[in-house]
């Protein structure tokens, strides 16, 4: 009785390329982006930038004992975890900057010189354009902040990588308070506050 030994090689699988089902706005995580059934995001909590290089989708495999996933063009196969990965382009739309993204000095003391609220983008905010203009208003009239009083602060922001350009973002109020007064008379000093 003769015995024959033979090898059965793994077959090449046919894999449906995963597809992104919808766009998102900057600030949303990948968990808000639908994928072809059977695929999920490697990191669903990732918040991609508008100009991203794609995001990794993964698929769990149950048939990799019979199919060779190691040579599929564009895919990455993990034999240990029995997964297939694919980098997908994700469309992320720019969003409007909001007042919560900025910080500024809320008050200063009068000294007769023009003052500034020094509005800046808060730490940790990325992809926002430069602040191109800081404007001050009293009674809806644009003014220069010199005198004692309360001013409404508005800014214009240029377009950035993740945010659209915006004008007249009202960030809050800025107050110039009265200066302390010191009067010297016959070598006597009197002080007054406000």
């Amino acid at each position: 009785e003769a015995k024959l030994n033979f090898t059965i090689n793994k077959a090449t699988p046919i894999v449906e390329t995963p597809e992104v089902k919808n766009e998102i706005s900057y600030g949303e995580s990948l968990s808000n982006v639908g994928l072809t059934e059977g695929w999920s995001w490697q990191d669903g909590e990732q918040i991609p930038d508008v100009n991203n290089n794609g995001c990794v989708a993964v698929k769990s495999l149950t048939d990799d004992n019979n199919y060779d996933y190691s040579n599929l063009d564009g895919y990455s196969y993990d034999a240990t975890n029995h997964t297939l990965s694919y980098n997908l382009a994700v469309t992320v739309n720019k969003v409007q900057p909001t007042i919560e993204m900025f910080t500024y000095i809320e008050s200063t003391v009068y000294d007769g010189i023009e003052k500034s609220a020094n509005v800046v983008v808060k730490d940790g905010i990325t992809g926002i354009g430069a602040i191109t203009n800081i404007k001050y208003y009293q009674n809806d009239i644009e003014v220069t902040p010199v005198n004692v009083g309360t001013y409404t602060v508005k800014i214009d922001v240029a377009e950035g990588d993740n945010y659209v350009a915006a004008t007249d973002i009202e960030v809050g109020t800025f107050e110039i308070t009265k200066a302390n007064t010191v009067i010297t008379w016959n070598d006597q000093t009197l002080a007054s506050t406000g």
Side-chain angles (χ1 to χ4, degrees), residues 9-173:
N9 292 323
K10 290 183 177 183
T12 301
I14 297 172
V15 178
E16 180 183 358
T17 302
E19 293 181 3
V20 171
K21 300 291 185 182
N22 59 289
E23 299 177 354
I24 57 173
S25 295
Y26 178 70
E28 292 184 85
S29 67
L30 286 176
S31 62
N32 293 309
V33 179
L35 286 171
T36 302
E37 187 174 338
W39 289 85
S40 62
W41 294 110
Q42 185 175 47
D43 178 4
E45 298 307 309
Q46 178 184 350
I47 297 175
D49 287 333
V50 171
N51 299 317
N52 63 74
N53 293 321
C55 301
V56 178
V58 294
K59 180 177 185 168
S60 293
L61 302 172
T62 57
D63 59 356
D64 54 335
N65 287 331
N66 297 320
Y67 291 94
D68 182 6
Y69 287 93
S70 64
N71 293 316
L72 293 176
D73 191 32
Y75 293 87
S76 197
Y77 172 60
D78 181 342
T80 304
N81 294 311
H82 306 282
T83 57
L84 194 61
S85 301
Y86 191 79
N87 196 50
L88 284 166
V90 177
T91 301
V92 180
N93 298 308
K94 292 183 181 187
V95 294
Q96 183 84 15
T98 62
I99 63 172
E100 295 82 14
M101 298 175 177
F102 304 94
T103 186
Y104 64 99
I105 297 171
E106 294 182 14
S107 68
T108 190
V109 177
Y110 171 81
D111 65 3
I113 299 172
E114 181 179 343
K115 298 297 178 188
S116 171
N118 294 330
V119 181
V120 295
V121 176
K122 287 182 178 177
D123 290 342
I125 305 291
T126 58
I128 194 165
I131 297 170
T132 58
N133 196 10
I134 302 174
K135 302 169 279 190
Y136 303 87
Y137 293 85
Q138 286 183 316
N139 301 318
D140 296 324
I141 299 170
E142 188 172 355
V143 295
T144 301
V146 174
N147 297 316
V148 171
T150 301
Y151 301 81
T152 299
V153 181
K154 295 182 180 182
I155 61 172
D156 297 338
V157 179
E159 182 175 10
D161 290 340
N162 295 321
Y163 295 90
V164 296
T167 57
D168 290 334
I169 299 173
E170 187 173 322
V171 294
T173 57

